[in-house]
Amino acid sequence: MNNLEEEKLMQLKGEMFENLQINQENYSDNGYVQTLVDVIRKVLEIEHIHFLISKELYKDIQYIVKVKHRYISIIDPYNPMDQQYCESLIQSNEYNKKIILNTAKEELIGYIFLKIEIDSFSSQFWDDFTHIIHHYFKQVFQILVINNEKRRYRLLQSVTNQLHSSIDIDAVLRKVLESLKEIYPNFYFTLQLSTDDFKKSDLSIETLDYTMENSPAMECFLTGNYRIEDDINRKESFMYFPLKGKQGIYGVLHIHANQSIIISEQDIEFIHILAQTAGNAMENARLYQHSKQLIKDLKLITNVSKKLNSILKLTDLVKYIVAELKNSFNAHEAGIVMFKEEYCEVLSGSTTYFYNEDCKSLLHEVKQVLLTKKEGLFLGDVNQSQYRFTSIPYASIMVESIEQDDNIIGSIIVLHQQPYYFSFETFKLFRSLTQHSSLAFSNAILREELEQLVITDYLTKLYTRNYLDDEMKQSMERDTQGVFLLIDIDNFKKVNDTYGHQNGDKVLVQIADIIKEKLITGGIAARWGGEEIAVYLPNYTFEEGMHLAHEFVQLIPKKSKPSVTISCGVSYWSIHQPESPLTLFKKADEALYEAKNTGKNRMIANI
């Protein structure tokens, strides 16, 4: 090798490594190639140059370089197609010299293609030239790897700080995906999560498919270990990393590379740490959100309990609970049902669906389930359940029992049209609200039963005289007219003497039941004293009152056993003919006295 060749090599080495030393802290992704090309073109006085670098040598930085340089290509020297590509380059007019790049151990690491007008350099020169180039690549790659490691861990530290200070799961996942895309711009990332809470998110998120039991994603999720797979036919690579926290695994980070790759241990470790950091951050965010929800639920239960204890009337209680259930669970329907021996009584204040005819099968089935299994009912989809609710337009159902003295006396039901609308957490809150409501219901029912005892006659279950007086006073202040009937059983002493007082009481109860049955549409019946029964008909016309009195006179002898007749006196008031409860009673009493004295078994009016 002559002096000129030595000078060229010294100049080449000096300028390349000087630039490398100066710029190593801030070397750009492909600046090392440009520096190399510029120095070679200057020293050798050539225009065209191209590097073909072995994939094996390039693997440590293939994820670092973001922009492909026009002077460098990555090849597999032992691949027939890549070998054909090399041959095509040398056969073109653009290059006329191919230099083999070997390591000191004579391992093939690539080729250099040149366009040189006159090749006056010795073979020793070209050997030394390739060693310098190889050494330069090794130095550059080391610098790039080190710099990238620094950049990755600076980013990892920044991401970790941000993730652990965030309570927004969406923000956590967004930061993870952005960080990965910054480090690995040529990869595609998808988060496959174990819940479907992010359907409306604009992030690349999917719900983990539990039906694919043998899929790599499910294996990664179940074992907590990462998986790497290559599709040889399509020349693609897939990686799966678990999003793992301290208490569980929350999904899988799916990475897709549209080329067959060899990923370094450093990259695997980095992605694994980032995925685990994301899993911990998701766990922390979920725990925080869960604690917030628990606090919200506790506040709701506390507020409902306070309100329940302040409501005295059963109808007001039902209206409040139904409104609270609809609002808290965004339910379409909410109802409260009391279980009777032969039927289910829907309490006033329940939503309209519970009064429909097609709801009866649902109420009957609910009653049977609660009384048989002694546990609530939580169905995500009625159509997929073992229970046969006939043609109900709702899919999601929550049911809990109302209990009194350890006995199930009714149920609270919540419905939604959408399948699987209520979560199990929602059901637990629903159960808590129902348990608190049960005590309030028991108290309200006992209170109303006590009030009913005060205002009703113990034998006939008709109202008392005092209650009827109060109702008449309110009606005369509120309504425009009304009719008063005073009924007396004819020859009742004879019934007692003939059949005994016990049978006499039964006759009195029979007549009371007949009267109550006729008053379903309106009217108040009270035991006035002894065998006398009073009936007040608010807003009835005189003619309507007379018609009903005539029905009683005709009906009672037919339905009573032993058969008895009645006498009835009728009085009437209106805004044009005002009366007081006392004067109205006196007029009816006078009419009753006349009916008794003119043959009994009749009705007479006194207006």
Side-chain angles (χ1 to χ4, degrees), residues 247-470:
Q247 297 183 5
I249 300 174
Y250 302 95
V252 173
L253 169 63
H254 176 215
I255 303 174
H256 171 214
N258 56 4
Q259 57 180 316
S260 184
I261 61 171
I262 301 173
I263 189 165
S264 67
E265 290 295 327
Q266 291 84 353
D267 287 292
I268 291 174
E269 183 184 3
F270 174 76
I271 296 172
H272 184 70
I273 292 172
L274 190 59
Q276 191 165 5
T277 303
N280 284 322
M282 287 178 66
E283 185 171 82
N284 292 339
R286 284 188 174 183
L287 287 172
Y288 174 77
Q289 291 181 0
H290 183 64
S291 64
K292 279 184 67 177
Q293 187 62 44
L294 283 177
I295 293 170
K296 182 180 177 183
D297 293 347
L298 286 172
K299 285 182 178 178
L300 174 63
I301 292 170
T302 303
N303 292 336
V304 168
S305 298
K306 288 180 180 178
K307 187 70 176 179
L308 291 176
N309 291 330
S310 67
I311 298 175
L312 300 178
K313 288 188 176 182
L314 185 60
T315 52
D316 294 338
L317 189 63
V318 173
K319 288 178 182 177
Y320 172 74
I321 292 174
V322 166
E324 205 54 59
L325 291 173
K326 287 193 70 179
N327 181 60
S328 299
F329 305 121
N330 197 27
H332 286 135
E333 305 287 348
I336 300 175
V337 181
M338 305 308 295
F339 297 155
K340 305 300 180 181
E341 287 189 11
E342 301 296 332
Y343 67 99
C344 294
E345 178 189 0
V346 178
L347 297 187
S348 177
S350 303
T351 53
T352 54
Y353 173 71
F354 291 94
Y355 299 96
N356 294 346
E357 191 67 24
D358 64 349
C359 185
K360 287 185 178 179
S361 65
L362 169 65
L363 299 183
H364 176 74
E365 188 76 16
V366 163
K367 179 181 177 182
Q368 295 304 314
V369 170
L370 293 182
L371 294 179
T372 304
K373 296 192 173 182
K374 308 294 184 182
E375 60 183 24
L377 195 61
F378 176 54
L379 299 179
D381 188 353
V382 170
N383 299 319
Q384 303 296 324
S385 72
Q386 60 181 313
Y387 306 105
R388 295 182 179 180
F389 302 134
T390 307
S391 302
I392 66 170
Y394 300 95
S396 297
I397 297 181
M398 294 192 295
V399 181
E400 267 300 319
S401 58
I402 299 171
E403 298 184 6
Q404 185 181 61
D405 298 329
D406 294 328
N407 295 317
I408 296 175
I409 61 172
S411 66
I412 299 178
I413 307 173
V414 173
L415 307 172
H416 199 282
Q417 293 175 350
Q418 182 179 323
Y420 305 102
Y421 184 79
F422 303 122
S423 67
F424 189 67
E425 292 297 319
T426 303
F427 181 58
K428 289 197 292 186
L429 175 60
F430 171 69
R431 292 186 67 181
S432 297
L433 289 176
T434 304
Q435 288 168 5
H436 284 78
S437 302
S438 285
L439 180 59
F441 269 111
S442 297
N443 292 338
I445 290 169
L446 289 171
R447 190 182 298 111
E448 294 204 353
E449 287 177 350
L450 182 60
E451 290 175 353
Q452 198 68 20
L453 286 173
V454 172
I455 64 174
T456 56
D457 174 60
Y458 76 96
L459 177 64
T460 63
K461 305 307 177 187
L462 297 174
Y463 288 109
T464 61
R465 182 170 178 171
N466 288 338
Y467 179 79
L468 183 63
D469 280 342
D470 291 338

